[in-house]
Amino acid sequence: MLDHEPMYMNKHMPYVNVHGHIHGQKYEGKNHFNICVEHWGYKPLSFAQIRETVVGSEER
């Protein structure tokens, strides 16, 4: 799920919320992925980078 702000997600949901909005703060959990530029050296991320970080190599 792509969103501007982090959405409520619980551990039983099979989704990952890819979001920004919270900038320098961390939002921990396997159901969230913060794409704020402060976390990534002010560089854009590709979908492949996001997928690799979220899913990792164990799913392949």
Short mmCIF file of all heavy atoms in Angstrom, two decimals:
data_model
loop_
_atom_site.label_atom_id
_atom_site.label_comp_id
_atom_site.label_asym_id
_atom_site.label_seq_id
_atom_site.Cartn_x
_atom_site.Cartn_y
_atom_site.Cartn_z
N MET A 1 0.84 -1.16 0.00
CA MET A 1 0.00 0.00 0.00
C MET A 1 0.89 1.23 0.00
O MET A 1 1.79 1.33 0.83
CB MET A 1 -0.89 0.01 1.23
CG MET A 1 -1.77 -1.20 1.36
SD MET A 1 -2.69 -1.14 2.89
CE MET A 1 -4.32 -1.09 2.21
N LEU A 2 0.67 2.11 -0.93
CA LEU A 2 1.41 3.36 -0.99
C LEU A 2 0.57 4.46 -0.35
O LEU A 2 -0.61 4.59 -0.64
CB LEU A 2 1.71 3.74 -2.44
CG LEU A 2 2.55 2.75 -3.23
CD1 LEU A 2 2.63 3.20 -4.68
CD2 LEU A 2 3.93 2.61 -2.63
N ASP A 3 1.20 5.23 0.52
CA ASP A 3 0.47 6.28 1.22
C ASP A 3 1.42 7.38 1.63
O ASP A 3 2.62 7.17 1.75
CB ASP A 3 -0.19 5.67 2.47
CG ASP A 3 -1.38 6.46 2.96
OD1 ASP A 3 -1.71 7.49 2.36
OD2 ASP A 3 -1.98 6.02 3.96
N HIS A 4 0.87 8.55 1.87
CA HIS A 4 1.69 9.67 2.34
C HIS A 4 2.08 9.48 3.80
O HIS A 4 3.24 9.63 4.17
CB HIS A 4 0.92 10.98 2.17
CG HIS A 4 1.66 12.16 2.73
ND1 HIS A 4 2.73 12.71 2.09
CD2 HIS A 4 1.48 12.86 3.87
CE1 HIS A 4 3.20 13.72 2.81
NE2 HIS A 4 2.45 13.83 3.91
N GLU A 5 1.11 9.15 4.65
CA GLU A 5 1.35 8.94 6.07
C GLU A 5 1.29 7.46 6.40
O GLU A 5 0.62 6.70 5.72
CB GLU A 5 0.26 9.63 6.90
CG GLU A 5 0.18 11.11 6.72
CD GLU A 5 -0.91 11.71 7.59
OE1 GLU A 5 -1.01 11.35 8.78
OE2 GLU A 5 -1.65 12.55 7.08
N PRO A 6 1.96 7.04 7.49
CA PRO A 6 1.85 5.65 7.89
C PRO A 6 0.40 5.32 8.26
O PRO A 6 -0.26 6.09 8.94
CB PRO A 6 2.75 5.52 9.11
CG PRO A 6 3.43 6.81 9.29
CD PRO A 6 2.84 7.80 8.36
N MET A 7 -0.08 4.20 7.79
CA MET A 7 -1.41 3.73 8.11
C MET A 7 -1.32 2.68 9.21
O MET A 7 -0.27 2.07 9.39
CB MET A 7 -2.06 3.08 6.88
CG MET A 7 -2.29 4.01 5.73
SD MET A 7 -2.86 3.15 4.25
CE MET A 7 -4.31 2.31 4.84
N TYR A 8 -2.44 2.46 9.90
CA TYR A 8 -2.47 1.39 10.89
C TYR A 8 -2.33 0.06 10.17
O TYR A 8 -3.05 -0.24 9.23
CB TYR A 8 -3.77 1.41 11.69
CG TYR A 8 -3.91 0.17 12.54
CD1 TYR A 8 -3.18 0.05 13.72
CD2 TYR A 8 -4.71 -0.88 12.14
CE1 TYR A 8 -3.27 -1.10 14.49
CE2 TYR A 8 -4.81 -2.04 12.91
CZ TYR A 8 -4.09 -2.13 14.09
OH TYR A 8 -4.18 -3.28 14.83
N MET A 9 -1.37 -0.73 10.61
CA MET A 9 -1.17 -2.06 10.07
C MET A 9 -0.90 -2.98 11.25
O MET A 9 -0.15 -2.62 12.15
CB MET A 9 0.05 -2.09 9.14
CG MET A 9 0.03 -1.11 7.99
SD MET A 9 -1.19 -1.47 6.75
CE MET A 9 -0.43 -2.83 5.93
N ASN A 10 -1.50 -4.16 11.25
CA ASN A 10 -1.16 -5.10 12.31
C ASN A 10 -0.41 -6.28 11.72
O ASN A 10 -0.34 -6.45 10.51
CB ASN A 10 -2.39 -5.52 13.13
CG ASN A 10 -3.34 -6.42 12.37
OD1 ASN A 10 -2.92 -7.35 11.68
ND2 ASN A 10 -4.62 -6.14 12.48
N LYS A 11 0.13 -7.11 12.60
CA LYS A 11 1.00 -8.19 12.14
C LYS A 11 0.28 -9.26 11.34
O LYS A 11 0.91 -10.08 10.69
CB LYS A 11 1.72 -8.83 13.33
CG LYS A 11 0.80 -9.50 14.30
CD LYS A 11 1.56 -10.06 15.47
CE LYS A 11 0.61 -10.72 16.45
NZ LYS A 11 1.33 -11.25 17.59
N HIS A 12 -1.03 -9.25 11.35
CA HIS A 12 -1.80 -10.25 10.61
C HIS A 12 -2.14 -9.80 9.19
O HIS A 12 -2.65 -10.59 8.41
CB HIS A 12 -3.08 -10.61 11.36
CG HIS A 12 -2.80 -11.11 12.75
ND1 HIS A 12 -2.19 -12.31 13.00
CD2 HIS A 12 -3.02 -10.54 13.95
CE1 HIS A 12 -2.04 -12.48 14.31
NE2 HIS A 12 -2.55 -11.41 14.91
N MET A 13 -1.88 -8.55 8.88
CA MET A 13 -2.16 -8.03 7.54
C MET A 13 -1.03 -8.46 6.60
O MET A 13 0.15 -8.33 6.95
CB MET A 13 -2.29 -6.52 7.56
CG MET A 13 -3.48 -6.03 8.32
SD MET A 13 -3.48 -4.23 8.37
CE MET A 13 -5.15 -3.92 8.82
N PRO A 14 -1.36 -8.92 5.41
CA PRO A 14 -0.32 -9.39 4.48
C PRO A 14 0.26 -8.27 3.62
O PRO A 14 0.80 -8.53 2.56
CB PRO A 14 -1.09 -10.40 3.62
CG PRO A 14 -2.47 -9.84 3.56
CD PRO A 14 -2.71 -9.23 4.91
N TYR A 15 0.15 -7.04 4.07
CA TYR A 15 0.57 -5.88 3.27
C TYR A 15 1.74 -5.17 3.92
O TYR A 15 1.99 -5.31 5.11
CB TYR A 15 -0.57 -4.87 3.14
CG TYR A 15 -1.87 -5.48 2.72
CD1 TYR A 15 -2.93 -5.58 3.60
CD2 TYR A 15 -2.04 -5.97 1.43
CE1 TYR A 15 -4.13 -6.14 3.22
CE2 TYR A 15 -3.23 -6.53 1.03
CZ TYR A 15 -4.28 -6.62 1.93
OH TYR A 15 -5.45 -7.19 1.55
N VAL A 16 2.42 -4.37 3.12
CA VAL A 16 3.44 -3.45 3.62
C VAL A 16 2.99 -2.05 3.23
O VAL A 16 2.62 -1.80 2.08
CB VAL A 16 4.83 -3.75 3.00
CG1 VAL A 16 5.83 -2.70 3.42
CG2 VAL A 16 5.28 -5.14 3.42
N ASN A 17 3.00 -1.14 4.19
CA ASN A 17 2.63 0.24 3.95
C ASN A 17 3.90 1.02 3.61
O ASN A 17 4.74 1.25 4.46
CB ASN A 17 1.95 0.82 5.19
CG ASN A 17 1.54 2.26 5.06
OD1 ASN A 17 1.54 2.99 6.03
ND2 ASN A 17 1.18 2.71 3.88
N VAL A 18 4.06 1.38 2.35
CA VAL A 18 5.19 2.19 1.90
C VAL A 18 4.74 3.64 2.02
O VAL A 18 3.78 4.06 1.39
CB VAL A 18 5.56 1.85 0.44
CG1 VAL A 18 6.71 2.72 -0.03
CG2 VAL A 18 5.93 0.36 0.32
N HIS A 19 5.42 4.39 2.88
CA HIS A 19 4.95 5.74 3.21
C HIS A 19 6.11 6.69 3.44
O HIS A 19 7.27 6.29 3.54
CB HIS A 19 4.09 5.69 4.48
CG HIS A 19 4.85 5.21 5.68
ND1 HIS A 19 5.65 6.03 6.42
CD2 HIS A 19 4.96 3.97 6.22
CE1 HIS A 19 6.21 5.34 7.39
NE2 HIS A 19 5.81 4.07 7.28
N GLY A 20 5.78 7.94 3.54
CA GLY A 20 6.71 8.99 3.91
C GLY A 20 6.17 9.70 5.13
O GLY A 20 5.73 9.09 6.08
N HIS A 21 6.17 11.02 5.08
CA HIS A 21 5.53 11.93 6.04
C HIS A 21 6.27 12.10 7.36
O HIS A 21 6.31 13.19 7.88
CB HIS A 21 4.08 11.50 6.30
CG HIS A 21 3.35 12.46 7.21
ND1 HIS A 21 2.97 13.70 6.79
CD2 HIS A 21 2.94 12.34 8.49
CE1 HIS A 21 2.34 14.31 7.78
NE2 HIS A 21 2.31 13.52 8.82
N ILE A 22 6.84 11.06 7.92
CA ILE A 22 7.38 11.20 9.28
C ILE A 22 8.86 11.58 9.29
O ILE A 22 9.47 11.70 10.34
CB ILE A 22 7.12 9.93 10.11
CG1 ILE A 22 7.71 8.69 9.47
CG2 ILE A 22 5.64 9.75 10.36
CD1 ILE A 22 7.60 7.43 10.31
N HIS A 23 9.44 11.77 8.15
CA HIS A 23 10.79 12.30 7.96
C HIS A 23 11.83 11.63 8.83
O HIS A 23 12.15 10.48 8.62
CB HIS A 23 10.79 13.81 8.07
CG HIS A 23 9.81 14.43 7.12
ND1 HIS A 23 10.08 14.57 5.78
CD2 HIS A 23 8.53 14.86 7.31
CE1 HIS A 23 9.03 15.10 5.18
NE2 HIS A 23 8.07 15.29 6.08
N GLY A 24 12.39 12.32 9.82
CA GLY A 24 13.50 11.79 10.61
C GLY A 24 13.11 10.74 11.62
O GLY A 24 13.97 10.08 12.18
N GLN A 25 11.83 10.56 11.88
CA GLN A 25 11.39 9.56 12.86
C GLN A 25 11.46 8.17 12.27
O GLN A 25 11.37 7.99 11.06
CB GLN A 25 9.96 9.83 13.30
CG GLN A 25 9.75 11.17 13.95
CD GLN A 25 8.27 11.43 14.18
OE1 GLN A 25 7.42 10.77 13.61
NE2 GLN A 25 7.99 12.41 15.00
N LYS A 26 11.57 7.21 13.13
CA LYS A 26 11.52 5.81 12.69
C LYS A 26 10.12 5.28 12.96
O LYS A 26 9.47 5.70 13.89
CB LYS A 26 12.55 4.97 13.42
CG LYS A 26 13.96 5.40 13.11
CD LYS A 26 14.85 4.22 13.02
CE LYS A 26 16.23 4.72 12.65
NZ LYS A 26 16.92 3.86 11.80
N TYR A 27 9.69 4.37 12.15
CA TYR A 27 8.41 3.70 12.35
C TYR A 27 8.71 2.24 12.14
O TYR A 27 8.84 1.77 11.03
CB TYR A 27 7.38 4.20 11.34
CG TYR A 27 5.96 4.08 11.80
CD1 TYR A 27 5.34 5.16 12.43
CD2 TYR A 27 5.23 2.92 11.62
CE1 TYR A 27 4.04 5.08 12.84
CE2 TYR A 27 3.92 2.83 12.04
CZ TYR A 27 3.33 3.91 12.65
OH TYR A 27 2.04 3.82 13.06
N GLU A 28 8.90 1.54 13.23
CA GLU A 28 9.39 0.16 13.18
C GLU A 28 8.28 -0.83 12.86
O GLU A 28 7.12 -0.58 13.13
CB GLU A 28 10.04 -0.22 14.51
CG GLU A 28 11.20 0.67 14.92
CD GLU A 28 12.39 0.60 13.99
OE1 GLU A 28 12.61 -0.45 13.36
OE2 GLU A 28 13.09 1.61 13.89
N GLY A 29 8.66 -1.93 12.31
CA GLY A 29 7.73 -3.02 12.04
C GLY A 29 7.86 -3.52 10.62
O GLY A 29 8.19 -2.76 9.71
N LYS A 30 7.61 -4.79 10.43
CA LYS A 30 7.76 -5.38 9.10
C LYS A 30 6.64 -4.98 8.16
O LYS A 30 6.72 -5.24 6.97
CB LYS A 30 7.88 -6.89 9.20
CG LYS A 30 6.63 -7.58 9.68
CD LYS A 30 6.79 -9.07 9.70
CE LYS A 30 5.47 -9.72 10.04
NZ LYS A 30 5.50 -11.15 9.92
N ASN A 31 5.60 -4.33 8.66
CA ASN A 31 4.48 -3.90 7.82
C ASN A 31 4.61 -2.45 7.36
O ASN A 31 3.69 -1.92 6.75
CB ASN A 31 3.15 -4.09 8.55
CG ASN A 31 2.83 -5.54 8.79
OD1 ASN A 31 3.20 -6.07 9.82
ND2 ASN A 31 2.19 -6.18 7.84
N HIS A 32 5.74 -1.82 7.69
CA HIS A 32 5.94 -0.42 7.30
C HIS A 32 7.29 -0.26 6.61
O HIS A 32 8.26 -0.90 6.98
CB HIS A 32 5.89 0.49 8.52
CG HIS A 32 4.54 0.60 9.12
ND1 HIS A 32 3.61 1.49 8.67
CD2 HIS A 32 3.94 -0.10 10.11
CE1 HIS A 32 2.50 1.34 9.37
NE2 HIS A 32 2.68 0.39 10.25
N PHE A 33 7.33 0.63 5.63
CA PHE A 33 8.58 0.97 4.97
C PHE A 33 8.58 2.48 4.75
O PHE A 33 7.78 3.00 3.97
CB PHE A 33 8.72 0.24 3.63
CG PHE A 33 10.08 0.43 3.01
CD1 PHE A 33 11.14 -0.33 3.42
CD2 PHE A 33 10.26 1.36 2.01
CE1 PHE A 33 12.40 -0.15 2.85
CE2 PHE A 33 11.50 1.54 1.43
CZ PHE A 33 12.58 0.79 1.86
N ASN A 34 9.45 3.19 5.45
CA ASN A 34 9.52 4.64 5.40
C ASN A 34 10.46 5.05 4.26
O ASN A 34 11.66 4.77 4.30
CB ASN A 34 10.03 5.18 6.73
CG ASN A 34 9.99 6.68 6.81
OD1 ASN A 34 9.75 7.37 5.84
ND2 ASN A 34 10.22 7.20 7.99
N ILE A 35 9.92 5.72 3.26
CA ILE A 35 10.74 6.14 2.13
C ILE A 35 11.14 7.62 2.20
O ILE A 35 11.57 8.19 1.21
CB ILE A 35 10.07 5.84 0.78
CG1 ILE A 35 8.71 6.53 0.66
CG2 ILE A 35 9.95 4.34 0.57
CD1 ILE A 35 8.13 6.49 -0.74
N CYS A 36 11.02 8.22 3.38
CA CYS A 36 11.44 9.62 3.53
C CYS A 36 12.92 9.75 3.15
O CYS A 36 13.74 8.90 3.49
CB CYS A 36 11.25 10.09 4.96
SG CYS A 36 9.53 10.40 5.37
N VAL A 37 13.22 10.82 2.45
CA VAL A 37 14.58 10.99 1.93
C VAL A 37 15.64 11.05 3.03
O VAL A 37 16.79 10.70 2.79
CB VAL A 37 14.67 12.25 1.03
CG1 VAL A 37 13.81 12.09 -0.19
CG2 VAL A 37 14.33 13.52 1.79
N GLU A 38 15.26 11.47 4.23
CA GLU A 38 16.22 11.54 5.33
C GLU A 38 16.80 10.18 5.67
O GLU A 38 17.91 10.08 6.17
CB GLU A 38 15.56 12.14 6.59
CG GLU A 38 15.20 13.60 6.46
CD GLU A 38 13.81 13.83 5.90
OE1 GLU A 38 13.19 12.90 5.34
OE2 GLU A 38 13.33 14.96 6.00
N HIS A 39 16.05 9.13 5.42
CA HIS A 39 16.51 7.77 5.72
C HIS A 39 17.36 7.17 4.61
O HIS A 39 18.00 6.14 4.80
CB HIS A 39 15.32 6.84 5.97
CG HIS A 39 14.56 7.18 7.20
ND1 HIS A 39 14.94 6.76 8.44
CD2 HIS A 39 13.44 7.92 7.38
CE1 HIS A 39 14.10 7.21 9.34
NE2 HIS A 39 13.17 7.91 8.72
N TRP A 40 17.35 7.78 3.43
CA TRP A 40 17.99 7.17 2.26
C TRP A 40 18.98 8.10 1.58
O TRP A 40 19.18 8.02 0.38
CB TRP A 40 16.91 6.69 1.28
CG TRP A 40 15.99 5.74 1.95
CD1 TRP A 40 14.74 5.99 2.46
CD2 TRP A 40 16.28 4.39 2.27
NE1 TRP A 40 14.24 4.88 3.06
CE2 TRP A 40 15.17 3.87 2.95
CE3 TRP A 40 17.37 3.55 2.04
CZ2 TRP A 40 15.11 2.56 3.42
CZ3 TRP A 40 17.30 2.25 2.49
CH2 TRP A 40 16.19 1.77 3.18
N GLY A 41 19.61 8.97 2.36
CA GLY A 41 20.66 9.82 1.82
C GLY A 41 20.18 10.80 0.75
O GLY A 41 20.93 11.16 -0.13
N TYR A 42 18.93 11.21 0.87
CA TYR A 42 18.33 12.19 -0.06
C TYR A 42 18.39 11.74 -1.51
O TYR A 42 18.53 12.52 -2.43
CB TYR A 42 18.96 13.56 0.12
CG TYR A 42 18.64 14.14 1.48
CD1 TYR A 42 19.43 13.86 2.59
CD2 TYR A 42 17.51 14.92 1.65
CE1 TYR A 42 19.11 14.36 3.84
CE2 TYR A 42 17.18 15.43 2.91
CZ TYR A 42 17.99 15.14 3.99
OH TYR A 42 17.66 15.62 5.22
N LYS A 43 18.28 10.42 -1.70
CA LYS A 43 18.28 9.84 -3.05
C LYS A 43 17.00 9.03 -3.25
O LYS A 43 16.51 8.41 -2.31
CB LYS A 43 19.49 8.93 -3.25
CG LYS A 43 20.80 9.68 -3.16
CD LYS A 43 21.97 8.76 -3.32
CE LYS A 43 23.26 9.56 -3.15
NZ LYS A 43 24.41 8.69 -3.03
N PRO A 44 16.49 9.01 -4.46
CA PRO A 44 15.28 8.20 -4.71
C PRO A 44 15.58 6.71 -4.64
O PRO A 44 16.71 6.28 -4.88
CB PRO A 44 14.85 8.61 -6.13
CG PRO A 44 16.09 9.15 -6.77
CD PRO A 44 16.93 9.72 -5.66
N LEU A 45 14.56 5.95 -4.31
CA LEU A 45 14.68 4.49 -4.27
C LEU A 45 13.90 3.90 -5.44
O LEU A 45 12.83 4.38 -5.78
CB LEU A 45 14.09 3.93 -2.98
CG LEU A 45 14.79 4.33 -1.69
CD1 LEU A 45 14.01 3.80 -0.49
CD2 LEU A 45 16.20 3.78 -1.67
N SER A 46 14.43 2.86 -6.01
CA SER A 46 13.70 2.14 -7.06
C SER A 46 12.75 1.14 -6.40
O SER A 46 12.91 0.78 -5.23
CB SER A 46 14.68 1.39 -7.97
OG SER A 46 15.27 0.32 -7.26
N PHE A 47 11.78 0.69 -7.17
CA PHE A 47 10.88 -0.34 -6.65
C PHE A 47 11.66 -1.59 -6.28
O PHE A 47 11.38 -2.24 -5.27
CB PHE A 47 9.79 -0.68 -7.66
CG PHE A 47 8.87 -1.75 -7.17
CD1 PHE A 47 7.91 -1.48 -6.21
CD2 PHE A 47 8.98 -3.04 -7.64
CE1 PHE A 47 7.09 -2.47 -5.71
CE2 PHE A 47 8.15 -4.05 -7.17
CZ PHE A 47 7.20 -3.76 -6.20
N ALA A 48 12.67 -1.92 -7.05
CA ALA A 48 13.49 -3.10 -6.77
C ALA A 48 14.19 -2.96 -5.41
O ALA A 48 14.28 -3.93 -4.65
CB ALA A 48 14.51 -3.32 -7.88
N GLN A 49 14.68 -1.77 -5.07
CA GLN A 49 15.32 -1.56 -3.78
C GLN A 49 14.32 -1.72 -2.64
O GLN A 49 14.64 -2.31 -1.61
CB GLN A 49 15.95 -0.16 -3.72
CG GLN A 49 17.17 0.00 -4.58
CD GLN A 49 17.62 1.44 -4.61
OE1 GLN A 49 16.91 2.30 -5.12
NE2 GLN A 49 18.79 1.69 -4.06
N ILE A 50 13.13 -1.18 -2.82
CA ILE A 50 12.10 -1.30 -1.80
C ILE A 50 11.73 -2.76 -1.62
O ILE A 50 11.67 -3.27 -0.51
CB ILE A 50 10.87 -0.45 -2.16
CG1 ILE A 50 11.23 1.04 -2.16
CG2 ILE A 50 9.71 -0.73 -1.20
CD1 ILE A 50 10.17 1.94 -2.76
N ARG A 51 11.49 -3.46 -2.72
CA ARG A 51 11.12 -4.88 -2.66
C ARG A 51 12.21 -5.69 -1.98
O ARG A 51 11.93 -6.54 -1.13
CB ARG A 51 10.85 -5.41 -4.06
CG ARG A 51 10.40 -6.88 -4.05
CD ARG A 51 10.20 -7.43 -5.43
NE ARG A 51 11.44 -7.32 -6.17
CZ ARG A 51 11.53 -7.01 -7.45
NH1 ARG A 51 10.45 -6.79 -8.17
NH2 ARG A 51 12.70 -6.91 -8.05
N GLU A 52 13.45 -5.47 -2.32
CA GLU A 52 14.56 -6.22 -1.73
C GLU A 52 14.65 -5.98 -0.23
O GLU A 52 14.89 -6.90 0.54
CB GLU A 52 15.88 -5.84 -2.40
CG GLU A 52 17.06 -6.65 -1.94
CD GLU A 52 16.96 -8.13 -2.30
OE1 GLU A 52 16.36 -8.46 -3.34
OE2 GLU A 52 17.47 -8.95 -1.53
N THR A 53 14.42 -4.75 0.20
CA THR A 53 14.47 -4.43 1.62
C THR A 53 13.30 -5.05 2.37
O THR A 53 13.47 -5.59 3.45
CB THR A 53 14.47 -2.89 1.82
OG1 THR A 53 15.59 -2.34 1.11
CG2 THR A 53 14.58 -2.53 3.28
N VAL A 54 12.11 -4.98 1.78
CA VAL A 54 10.90 -5.49 2.45
C VAL A 54 10.84 -7.01 2.41
O VAL A 54 10.61 -7.67 3.41
CB VAL A 54 9.64 -4.88 1.80
CG1 VAL A 54 8.39 -5.56 2.30
CG2 VAL A 54 9.58 -3.38 2.07
N VAL A 55 11.05 -7.59 1.23
CA VAL A 55 10.88 -9.03 1.05
C VAL A 55 12.18 -9.76 1.33
O VAL A 55 12.19 -10.84 1.91
CB VAL A 55 10.38 -9.34 -0.39
CG1 VAL A 55 10.29 -10.83 -0.61
CG2 VAL A 55 9.06 -8.67 -0.64
N GLY A 56 13.27 -9.20 0.89
CA GLY A 56 14.57 -9.84 1.07
C GLY A 56 14.74 -10.99 0.09
O GLY A 56 13.91 -11.22 -0.79
N SER A 57 15.78 -11.70 0.25
CA SER A 57 16.07 -12.79 -0.69
C SER A 57 15.42 -14.10 -0.29
O SER A 57 15.43 -15.04 -1.06
CB SER A 57 17.57 -12.96 -0.82
OG SER A 57 18.13 -13.22 0.44
N GLU A 58 14.85 -14.19 0.94
CA GLU A 58 14.28 -15.47 1.37
C GLU A 58 13.04 -15.87 0.59
O GLU A 58 12.68 -17.03 0.54
CB GLU A 58 13.96 -15.46 2.88
CG GLU A 58 12.72 -14.69 3.27
CD GLU A 58 13.03 -13.28 3.74
OE1 GLU A 58 14.17 -12.86 3.73
OE2 GLU A 58 12.06 -12.60 4.13
N GLU A 59 12.35 -14.93 -0.04
CA GLU A 59 11.14 -15.23 -0.80
C GLU A 59 11.44 -15.70 -2.21
O GLU A 59 10.56 -16.12 -2.91
CB GLU A 59 10.24 -13.99 -0.84
CG GLU A 59 9.75 -13.56 0.51
CD GLU A 59 8.41 -14.16 0.87
OE1 GLU A 59 7.63 -14.46 -0.06
OE2 GLU A 59 8.14 -14.34 2.06
N ARG A 60 12.67 -15.59 -2.64
CA ARG A 60 13.02 -15.94 -4.02
C ARG A 60 13.59 -17.31 -4.12
O ARG A 60 14.16 -17.89 -3.34
CB ARG A 60 13.97 -14.91 -4.59
CG ARG A 60 13.26 -13.60 -4.69
CD ARG A 60 14.09 -12.64 -5.50
NE ARG A 60 13.37 -11.39 -5.42
CZ ARG A 60 13.89 -10.26 -5.09
NH1 ARG A 60 15.15 -10.16 -4.85
NH2 ARG A 60 13.17 -9.18 -5.03
#
